[in-house]
Amino acid sequence: EIVMTQSPDTLSVSSGGRATLSCRASQSIGAMLAWYQQKPGQTPRLFIFGASTRATGVPVRFSGSGSGTEFTLTISSLQSDDSAIYYCQHYGAWPRTFGQGTKVEIK
Amino acid sequence: QVQLVESGGGVVLPGRSLRLSCAVSGFLLTDYGMHWVRQAPGKGLECVAVISHDGSFKEHADPVKGRFTVSRDTSKNTVYLQMNSLRVDDTAVYYCARDQNYYFDYWGQGTLVTVSS
């Protein structure tokens, strides 16, 4: 099983600031990585797939990068609506494991 | 439009069974694989089971292997998760999710399963 590890657990950034979330895979997964956003009481929402492709409706301030074992989700100018937990997930094999999540807060 | 609607959750005693359903619309189960994903209270996401678009591939995560079984009825556009020998640590919101080229593009709203004596 591929283990996904996210850092940090919590990220507190000022409104308009830059947020950088990291995700590491225990073995190479190429670009088979997705990011999901989950707000309290809501269903997870696909944000990024293929490590860097934004899903429909995702604002351009969100960008994904990386390949192999190291990945990054960057929010270039944090808005209040971006407060949520972000999960990375590999999808190259079963089981499709998730990271433990990074909670993004507005400072 | 694409919709996934889970049902069947509830409160159950340890050792008992439940069957969850995921009714889909806006697409055909024969075109997409489907997953069950659970989230324990205050915890992260865990894939539980998968069934492929043609029904030939089914897999279950180690914590539920031998107790849970995924299946589907294409005539009803519904995916099921039969959960037997339920344990307290199976308590979670259970989501079904559509597999789009291996990542999950649509999710249901979830159904809560509480296992408690």
Side-chain angles (χ1 to χ4, degrees):
Chain A
E1 176 176 309
I2 298 174
V3 177
M4 307 300 293
T5 304
Q6 293 184 239
S7 61
D9 290 334
T10 302
L11 189 57
S12 187
V13 178
S14 300
S15 181
R18 185 181 188 92
T20 302
L21 291 67
S22 296
C23 175
R24 173 177 293 176
S26 60
Q27 62 190 74
S28 180
I29 58 172
M32 303 192 83
L33 182 102
W35 290 92
Y36 300 87
Q37 179 197 64
Q38 187 179 33
K39 296 183 177 181
Q42 295 188 17
T43 294
R45 174 190 171 189
L46 175 67
F47 252 50
I48 300 281
F49 61 93
S52 61
T53 303
R54 280 186 300 275
T56 302
V58 173
V60 296
R61 62 181 180 273
F62 289 85
S63 62
S65 63
S67 67
T69 61
E70 301 285 342
F71 301 88
T72 301
L73 175 67
T74 302
I75 311 173
S76 61
S77 178
L78 199 68
Q79 309 293 310
S80 58
D81 189 52
D82 302 336
S83 293
I85 298 176
Y86 293 84
Y87 295 95
C88 64
Q89 179 210 31
H90 87 83
Y91 54 90
W94 174 263
R96 314 265 172 85
T97 48
F98 293 87
Q100 80 278 15
T102 290
K103 184 176 183 180
V104 174
E105 301 176 332
I106 308 297
K107 192 184 295 184
Chain B
Q1 71 278 25
V2 172
Q3 283 193 310
L4 295 77
V5 179
E6 301 95 336
S7 60
V11 181
V12 62
L13 292 169
R16 305 300 289 268
S17 298
L18 271 181
R19 189 179 80 158
L20 306 183
S21 300
C22 171
V24 309
S25 58
F27 67 98
L28 298 177
L29 291 179
T30 51
D31 290 335
Y32 294 88
M34 295 294 295
H35 295 257
W36 286 98
V37 180
R38 70 182 179 183
Q39 186 169 37
K43 302 297 184 183
L45 301 166
E46 178 185 28
C47 284
V48 172
V50 57
I51 183 166
S52 62
H53 72 283
D54 61 1
S56 64
F57 177 79
K58 300 177 186 180
E59 259 300 353
H60 304 80
D62 285 345
V64 307
K65 199 167 287 187
R67 301 187 298 122
F68 291 11
T69 303
V70 63
S71 64
R72 67 180 192 173
D73 185 336
T74 55
S75 68
K76 296 181 178 179
N77 292 323
T78 301
V79 182
Y80 303 100
L81 186 67
Q82 178 67 43
M83 306 187 296
N84 299 331
S85 303
L86 281 161
R87 304 170 180 167
V88 171
D89 61 0
D90 293 320
T91 295
V93 174
Y94 285 74
Y95 299 99
C96 60
R98 190 177 81 165
D99 185 319
Q100 170 69 281
N101 294 327
Y102 308 121
Y103 51 87
F104 303 165
D105 63 344
Y106 284 93
W107 298 61
Q109 84 289 350
T111 187
L112 176 62
V113 173
T114 302
V115 185
S116 173
S117 56

